[in-house]
Amino acid sequence: MAESTIWWLLAGGAVALELMTGTFYLLMLAVGLAAAALAAHFGLALTAQILVAALVGGGAVVLWHWKRSKDPKPAEAQANADVQMDIGETVHVAQWNADATASVKYRGSQWTVVIADTDAAPQPGLFRVKELQGNRLVVHKL
């Protein structure tokens, strides 16, 4: 079997393993294996093929990791609008309790509401849901 065929099979195996794990880093290594297959097609020695696979695959992994570290981190699940459908919705608070909580009717049931800004005395009115803490809506004034 030709060296290039072995490299292509290894690249295909890495892609298949990537599809099962979903890490994306294996895809970068598969790019390195594909580069080694191309190096074999060009007639480079086995040592050069291994070096190409290591440099291209390792470099792709390092670049991808660096790019991911520069991306902003997603919000925690309880404050992430992609996870919680209630984030960003508005509720009307008619009356606050002495402990800075309130009870509101929201989505057909009673919810306990707490205010995010505990420095200010809460006043009745419209509030936007900032996050969920268990079964409590954390809100801030509109």
Side-chain angles (χ1 to χ4, degrees), residues 7-125:
W7 287 112
W8 286 120
L9 289 173
L10 288 172
V15 169
L17 192 58
E18 165 61 35
L19 290 172
M20 288 188 284
T21 61
T23 62
F24 203 75
Y25 289 102
L26 282 172
L27 198 56
M28 299 294 104
L29 293 177
V31 168
L33 294 170
L38 292 175
H41 281 297
F42 287 124
L44 272 66
L46 181 61
T47 306
Q49 294 170 27
I50 293 171
L51 189 61
V52 166
L55 289 176
V56 172
V61 167
V62 168
L63 284 173
W64 182 252
H65 184 72
W66 176 77
K67 181 204 173 299
R68 295 263 334 255
S69 70
K70 297 295 181 194
D71 290 344
K73 301 289 184 241
E76 295 288 328
Q78 66 267 18
N80 190 337
D82 294 333
V83 178
Q84 298 290 343
M85 69 181 200
D86 301 312
I87 305 294
E89 296 296 320
T90 58
V91 293
H92 181 266
V93 178
Q95 179 181 358
W96 288 94
N97 299 327
D99 63 351
T101 64
S103 182
V104 297
K105 187 149 179 105
Y106 172 67
R107 288 198 299 133
S109 63
Q110 289 297 118
W111 288 74
T112 301
V113 175
V114 295
I115 192 154
D117 182 20
T118 56
D119 296 336
Q123 299 295 320

